[in-house]
Each structure stands twice: as C-alpha cells, then as structure tokens.
C-alpha cells in the first residue's frame, strides 16, 4: 500500500497580489502516471486563497459582503484552524450573511437532505440554503450585497455538487451586478482527467457541464471555465476574481484538514470517490452507514460465495437512512487499496456480473451520474474496462485542450 503522506500546512502569510489567470503565466498541469507514488509529490507549504488576507482585504474594504461557505471554509493561523467567518469578522469585514450548499453550513446534513434557512448559532449571521428548491440565490437574498466570496472545498468529481452551486452563484452574481471572489483551494483529485464527457441531454444538479467525470480543475479554474465557455444562462458572465494559491501544482498531493462532506471522511474515501460514486446509481451500497464511506461497497444481492467481505449499514450522522439499512451486504473492502490515478471500472463491472438480478442492478440515477447512457449500455453488453476507457479517449483529449486555457497552476 502506498503511504498516504498527505499532510499540508497552510502558512498564514500576508504576501503577494492576486493573479487572475494571465495566459502568460498559465501552465499545463502534470498528469501523474499510474505507477507514480503520490507520497513523493506531497507539498507542505501550500498557501490557500483564504489565507492570503493582504490580497483580498482591499477588495472587501467598504463593501457589504456575503459568503458561500461551509465547514471546509477554514484557514490556519498561528493558534490553529479557525473558520473563515470568524476570521472575516475579526478583521472587521462587513459580513452580512452566509449561503450554504448541500450538507449545510456546518456540513452535517445527509446527501440530498432538505436544509432550511436559519441563523448560525455561533455568530448569529443569517444562513441561506442553496440546496433543495433554492439552488440559486434570489435577488432579494442578494439585496444590499456588493460582493460574494465563494470558499468551498471541492474534490474534483463532476457529480460533487459544489461546482453546480458555483454555477448558480455565478449566474446570480452576473444577473444582479455583484462581484464574485473565489478563494481557491487545492483539488485532491486534481492530478488526472478521466471518465465520459457529460452529454447535455443528461444535465442535472449532479452534472451541469460537458466535462469528464474527473475534471482536474481547482474551483478558481473551474469558475474561469464557466465564464470563458459562457455556460451561464444566455451566455452572461460574472465579474470574477480568483484569489490564487501559492506553492500549488496539480501534481501535488493534498489531505484536507476537515472532511468536505459527511461521507468523505479521509484521503482514501476522497481518492476512491470518483470510482465508487457510480454505485449510487445501482442497488449497491457504497459504504454509507459505515465508518468506511466510499471505501467499501456491497449489497445483499451480490454473490456471497464470490465476495468474501461483508458489512451491515447502520443509521449514522450524514447517512440516517442508508441503502440496505440493517441488511448484510457482500462486497469489497478497499480501505487499504493503493491510491488511484484513474477511475477504476473493474469494481462496477465485477458487481454487475455477480449480482442476483441484473435487470435490477441499475437505476435511473446512474445515467445522471455517468452523464451518458453509453456507460450502462457498455457494461450490460459485456464491454471490458479497457474497451470502455478507449471510448473515452477522444472526449478526454478535446477537454484537455480546452482545460489548458483556464489553468492557473
């Protein structure tokens, strides 16, 4: 097993001026070969955008500010980690309200759980949910704001909904003449591109743009792509600033200081997520209701004579009613699997081939996750993983060229 030496230290530094993607300073990121030991690439001196206070405080001076954030919106100071909200308030920024994505401001809600507006218990700031029926900030919710800060930790997969929230926030800012400032953070799966390109007839909140499953962009770069490709409604563009990181490169490994959502508890689950999330569109449990979320998979309908690992999902925070609650599931434990530099399709194919009733394996959500009907068809028709991957190559090559225009690191 590859060692997971993913400790990143954020230096609280007041240095530098923000660069907003000058084409002359862009470079193509390195795609790490499958054999490369990621531990060799660890960085210990990444400075995230939220820590570059000297850069963004002048942008906020004299302005009414809103924040799109959650529990991942934190920085490191000499005395330890603090939430960005607390930092901004201590710096006397005129912070008026907080907008929270899926899982809520404190990041404890289940996937898909409806979240009500309210107040943050610690600061008294109003918190507006950007999930459920209010994915896009309304004009009245933005009234009185001059600028919105967007500071969410992404994990680099198309179906991770924080990039969909970014789309709607950008659109609302463009429509209401509000500046958006993205505080950039590392992408822990930013070292590779993989998966099928989403076909727009399959657009949903778990896939809004024609990108591969693993896109290899930071939030700041992704925001630049949304603007540059004119993906917002009617091709509008928002006034965008990106507070870039220092000492970051896409080939650097990175372990998050806090889990970005309830069911991604560690570096292993985040690394396996692009591969195992496809199980969310099947009758297979992907570890929800266990302490190994997105590190195991299993189902009561998989052949227990073939799969030698079993577990029973329980009701837990972030997974109150997991798939196959209280039932013994047979499958695989991948918690010690080496880190991936591509999507693993073998597990999905293996599960399909060894399920009790193949007609009940997939559900309608699978196409939304895949972004195409082709992947399910290929698996049902007996395509090998290599054959499926071969069909992705033209789309990935085209996206890779498009991506170069927006790289900041």
């Amino acid at each position: 097993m590859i060692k997971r030496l993913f400790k990143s230290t954020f230096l609280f530094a007041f240095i530098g001026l923000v660069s907003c993607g000058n084409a002359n300073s862009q470079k193509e990121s390195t795609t790490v070969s499958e054999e490369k030991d990621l531990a060799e690439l660890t960085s210990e001196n990444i400075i995230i955008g939220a820590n570059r206070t000297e850069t963004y405080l002048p942008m906020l001076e004299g302005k009414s500010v809103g924040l799109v954030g959650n529990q991942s919106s934190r920085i490191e100071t000499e005395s330890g980690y603090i939430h960005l909200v607390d930092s901004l308030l201590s710096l006397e920024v005129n912070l008026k309200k907080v907008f929270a994505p899926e899982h809520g401001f404190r990041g404890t809600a289940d996937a898909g759980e409806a979240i009500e507006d309210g107040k943050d218990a610690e600061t008294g700031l109003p918190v507006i949910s950007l999930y459920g029926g209010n994915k896009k900030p309304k004009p009245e919710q933005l009234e009185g704001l001059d600028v919105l800060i967007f500071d969410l930790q992404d994990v680099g997969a198309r179906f991770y909904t924080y990039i969909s929230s970014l789309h709607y926030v950008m659109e609302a800012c463009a429509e209401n003449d509000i500046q958006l400032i993205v505080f950039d953070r590392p992408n822990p799966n930013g070292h590779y591109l993989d998966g099928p390109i989403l076909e727009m007839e399959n657009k949903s909140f778990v896939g809004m743009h024609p990108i591969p499953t693993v896109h290899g962009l930071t939030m700041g770069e992704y925001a630049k792509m949304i603007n540059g490709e004119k993906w917002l409604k009617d091709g509008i563009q928002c006034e965008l600033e990106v507070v870039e990181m220092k000492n970051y490169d896409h080939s650097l490994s990175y372990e998050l200081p806090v889990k970005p959502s309830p069911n991604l508890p560690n570096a292993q689950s985040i690394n396996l997520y692009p591969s195992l999330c496809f199980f969310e569109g099947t009758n297979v449990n992907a570890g929800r209701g266990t302490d190994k979320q997105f590190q195991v998979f299993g189902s009561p309908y998989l052949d227990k004579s073939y799969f030698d690992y079993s577990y029973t999902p329980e009701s837990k925070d972030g997974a109150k009613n997991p798939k196959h609650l209280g039932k013994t599931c047979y499958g695989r434990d991948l918690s010690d699997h080496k880190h991936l530099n591509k999507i693993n399709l073998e597990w999905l194919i293996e599960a399909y081939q060894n399920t009790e009733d193949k007609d009940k394996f997939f559900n309608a959500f699978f196409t939304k996750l895949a972004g195409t009907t082709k992947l399910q068809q290929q698996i049902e028709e007996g395509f090998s993983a290599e054959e499926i991957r071969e069909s992705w190559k033209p789309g990935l090559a085209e996206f890779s060229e498009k991506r170069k225009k927006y790289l900041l690191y």
Side-chain angles (χ1 to χ4, degrees), residues 115-151:
I115 302 169
E116 301 295 331
D117 295 347
K119 283 191 175 183
D120 177 42
E122 296 185 23
T123 63
L125 286 170
V127 177
I128 297 169
S129 173
L130 295 182
Y131 194 66
N134 186 49
K135 294 182 175 67
K136 177 179 171 180
K138 295 179 174 64
E140 58 268 27
Q141 295 169 336
L142 295 171
E143 189 174 354
L145 296 181
D146 302 307
V147 61
L148 263 183
I149 296 169
F150 191 99
D151 185 34

Coordinates of all heavy atoms in Angstrom, one line a residue, residues 115-151:
I115 N -32.6 21.4 3.5 CA -32.0 22.3 4.5 C -32.7 23.6 4.6 O -32.9 24.3 3.5 CB -30.5 22.5 4.2 CG1 -29.7 21.2 4.2 CG2 -29.9 23.4 5.3 CD1 -28.3 21.3 3.6
E116 N -33.1 24.0 5.7 CA -33.9 25.2 5.9 C -33.0 26.4 6.2 O -31.9 26.2 6.7 CB -34.9 25.1 7.1 CG -35.9 23.9 6.9 CD -36.8 24.1 5.8 OE1 -37.1 25.3 5.5 OE2 -37.3 23.1 5.2
D117 N -33.4 27.6 5.8 CA -32.7 28.8 6.1 C -32.8 29.0 7.6 O -33.6 28.4 8.3 CB -33.4 30.0 5.5 CG -33.3 30.0 4.0 OD1 -32.5 29.2 3.4 OD2 -34.0 30.8 3.3
G118 N -31.8 29.7 8.2 CA -31.8 29.9 9.6 C -30.7 30.9 10.0 O -30.4 31.8 9.2
K119 N -30.2 30.7 11.2 CA -29.1 31.6 11.7 C -28.0 30.7 12.2 O -28.2 29.6 12.7 CB -29.6 32.5 12.8 CG -30.4 33.7 12.4 CD -30.6 34.6 13.6 CE -31.3 35.9 13.1 NZ -31.4 36.9 14.2
D120 N -26.8 31.1 12.0 CA -25.6 30.4 12.5 C -25.6 30.6 14.0 O -25.6 31.8 14.5 CB -24.3 30.9 11.9 CG -23.1 30.2 12.5 OD1 -23.2 29.0 12.7 OD2 -22.1 30.9 12.7
A121 N -25.6 29.5 14.8 CA -25.7 29.6 16.2 C -24.5 30.3 16.8 O -24.6 30.9 17.9 CB -25.8 28.2 16.8
E122 N -23.3 30.2 16.2 CA -22.1 30.8 16.8 C -21.9 32.3 16.5 O -21.3 33.0 17.3 CB -20.9 30.0 16.3 CG -20.9 28.5 16.7 CD -19.6 27.8 16.3 OE1 -18.6 28.5 16.1 OE2 -19.7 26.6 16.2
T123 N -22.4 32.8 15.4 CA -22.2 34.2 15.0 C -23.5 35.0 14.9 O -23.5 36.2 14.9 CB -21.5 34.3 13.7 OG1 -22.3 33.7 12.7 CG2 -20.2 33.5 13.7
G124 N -24.7 34.3 14.8 CA -25.9 35.0 14.6 C -26.2 35.4 13.2 O -27.2 36.0 12.9
L125 N -25.3 35.2 12.3 CA -25.4 35.6 10.9 C -26.6 34.8 10.3 O -26.7 33.6 10.5 CB -24.1 35.3 10.1 CG -23.0 36.3 10.4 CD1 -21.7 35.8 9.7 CD2 -23.3 37.7 9.9
P126 N -27.4 35.4 9.4 CA -28.4 34.6 8.7 C -27.7 33.7 7.7 O -26.7 34.0 7.1 CB -29.2 35.7 7.9 CG -28.3 36.9 7.9 CD -27.4 36.8 9.1
V127 N -28.2 32.4 7.7 CA -27.7 31.4 6.8 C -28.8 31.0 5.8 O -29.9 30.7 6.2 CB -27.3 30.1 7.5 CG1 -26.8 29.1 6.6 CG2 -26.2 30.5 8.5
I128 N -28.5 31.2 4.5 CA -29.5 30.9 3.4 C -29.0 29.6 2.7 O -27.9 29.5 2.3 CB -29.6 32.0 2.4 CG1 -30.1 33.3 3.1 CG2 -30.4 31.7 1.2 CD1 -29.9 34.5 2.3
S129 N -29.9 28.6 2.6 CA -29.6 27.3 2.0 C -29.6 27.5 0.5 O -30.5 28.1 -0.1 CB -30.6 26.3 2.4 OG -30.4 25.1 1.7
L130 N -28.6 26.9 -0.2 CA -28.5 26.9 -1.6 C -28.7 25.4 -2.1 O -28.0 24.9 -2.9 CB -27.2 27.4 -2.1 CG -27.0 28.9 -1.9 CD1 -25.7 29.4 -2.5 CD2 -28.1 29.7 -2.5
Y131 N -29.6 24.7 -1.5 CA -29.9 23.4 -1.8 C -31.4 23.2 -1.8 O -32.1 24.0 -1.2 CB -29.2 22.4 -0.9 CG -29.2 21.0 -1.4 CD1 -28.5 20.7 -2.6 CD2 -29.9 19.9 -0.8 CE1 -28.4 19.4 -3.1 CE2 -29.9 18.7 -1.3 CZ -29.1 18.4 -2.5 OH -29.1 17.1 -3.0
G132 N -31.9 22.1 -2.4 CA -33.3 21.9 -2.5 C -34.0 22.8 -3.5 O -33.5 22.9 -4.6
G133 N -35.0 23.5 -3.1 CA -35.7 24.4 -4.0 C -35.1 25.7 -4.2 O -35.6 26.5 -5.0
N134 N -33.9 26.0 -3.6 CA -33.3 27.3 -3.7 C -31.8 27.2 -4.1 O -31.0 27.6 -3.3 CB -33.5 28.1 -2.5 CG -33.0 29.6 -2.6 OD1 -33.3 30.3 -3.5 ND2 -32.2 30.0 -1.6
K135 N -31.5 26.6 -5.2 CA -30.2 26.3 -5.6 C -29.4 27.6 -6.0 O -28.2 27.6 -6.0 CB -30.1 25.2 -6.7 CG -30.5 23.8 -6.2 CD -30.4 22.8 -7.3 CE -30.7 21.4 -6.8 NZ -32.2 21.3 -6.4
K136 N -30.2 28.6 -6.5 CA -29.7 29.8 -7.0 C -30.1 31.0 -6.1 O -31.3 31.1 -5.8 CB -30.1 30.0 -8.4 CG -29.7 31.3 -9.1 CD -30.2 31.3 -10.5 CE -30.0 32.6 -11.2 NZ -30.6 32.6 -12.6
P137 N -29.2 31.8 -5.6 CA -29.6 32.9 -4.8 C -30.6 33.8 -5.5 O -30.4 34.2 -6.6 CB -28.3 33.6 -4.5 CG -27.2 32.6 -4.7 CD -27.7 31.7 -5.8
K138 N -31.6 34.2 -4.8 CA -32.7 35.0 -5.3 C -32.2 36.5 -5.2 O -31.4 36.8 -4.3 CB -34.0 34.9 -4.6 CG -34.6 33.5 -4.7 CD -35.9 33.3 -4.0 CE -36.6 32.0 -4.2 NZ -35.8 30.9 -3.8
P139 N -32.7 37.4 -6.1 CA -32.4 38.8 -6.0 C -32.6 39.4 -4.6 O -31.7 40.2 -4.1 CB -33.3 39.5 -7.0 CG -33.5 38.4 -8.0 CD -33.6 37.1 -7.2
E140 N -33.7 39.0 -3.9 CA -33.9 39.6 -2.6 C -33.0 39.1 -1.6 O -32.7 39.7 -0.6 CB -35.4 39.3 -2.2 CG -35.8 37.9 -2.1 CD -36.4 37.3 -3.4 OE1 -36.1 37.9 -4.5 OE2 -37.2 36.4 -3.3
Q141 N -32.4 37.9 -1.8 CA -31.4 37.3 -0.9 C -30.0 38.0 -1.1 O -29.2 38.0 -0.2 CB -31.3 35.8 -1.1 CG -32.5 35.1 -0.7 CD -32.5 33.6 -1.1 OE1 -31.8 33.3 -2.1 NE2 -33.3 32.8 -0.5
L142 N -29.8 38.6 -2.2 CA -28.6 39.3 -2.5 C -28.7 40.8 -2.3 O -27.6 41.5 -2.4 CB -28.2 39.0 -4.0 CG -27.9 37.5 -4.3 CD1 -27.7 37.4 -5.8 CD2 -26.6 37.1 -3.6
E143 N -29.8 41.2 -2.0 CA -30.0 42.7 -1.9 C -29.1 43.3 -0.8 O -29.0 42.7 0.3 CB -31.5 43.0 -1.6 CG -31.9 44.4 -1.6 CD -33.4 44.7 -1.4 OE1 -34.1 43.7 -1.3 OE2 -33.8 45.8 -1.3
G144 N -28.5 44.4 -1.2 CA -27.6 45.1 -0.3 C -26.2 44.6 -0.3 O -25.3 45.1 0.4
L145 N -25.9 43.5 -1.0 CA -24.5 43.0 -1.1 C -23.8 43.6 -2.2 O -24.3 43.7 -3.3 CB -24.5 41.4 -1.2 CG -25.1 40.6 0.0 CD1 -25.1 39.1 -0.3 CD2 -24.5 41.0 1.3
D146 N -22.5 43.8 -2.0 CA -21.6 44.3 -3.1 C -20.8 43.2 -3.7 O -20.4 43.3 -4.8 CB -20.7 45.4 -2.6 CG -21.5 46.6 -2.0 OD1 -22.4 47.2 -2.7 OD2 -21.2 47.0 -0.8
V147 N -20.5 42.2 -2.8 CA -19.6 41.2 -3.3 C -19.9 39.9 -2.6 O -20.4 39.9 -1.4 CB -18.1 41.6 -3.0 CG1 -17.9 41.8 -1.5 CG2 -17.1 40.6 -3.5
L148 N -19.7 38.8 -3.2 CA -19.9 37.5 -2.7 C -18.5 36.8 -2.7 O -17.8 36.8 -3.7 CB -20.9 36.6 -3.4 CG -22.3 36.5 -3.0 CD1 -23.1 35.5 -3.8 CD2 -22.4 36.0 -1.5
I149 N -18.1 36.2 -1.6 CA -16.9 35.3 -1.5 C -17.4 33.9 -1.7 O -18.4 33.4 -1.1 CB -16.2 35.5 -0.2 CG1 -15.7 36.9 0.0 CG2 -15.1 34.4 -0.1 CD1 -15.2 37.2 1.4
F150 N -16.7 33.1 -2.5 CA -17.0 31.7 -2.6 C -15.8 30.9 -2.1 O -14.7 31.0 -2.7 CB -17.3 31.3 -4.1 CG -17.9 30.0 -4.4 CD1 -19.2 29.8 -4.6 CD2 -17.1 28.9 -4.4 CE1 -19.8 28.5 -4.8 CE2 -17.6 27.6 -4.6 CZ -19.0 27.4 -4.8
D151 N -16.0 30.1 -1.1 CA -14.9 29.4 -0.5 C -15.4 28.0 0.0 O -15.8 27.8 1.1 CB -14.3 30.1 0.7 CG -13.1 29.4 1.3 OD1 -12.3 28.8 0.5 OD2 -12.8 29.5 2.5

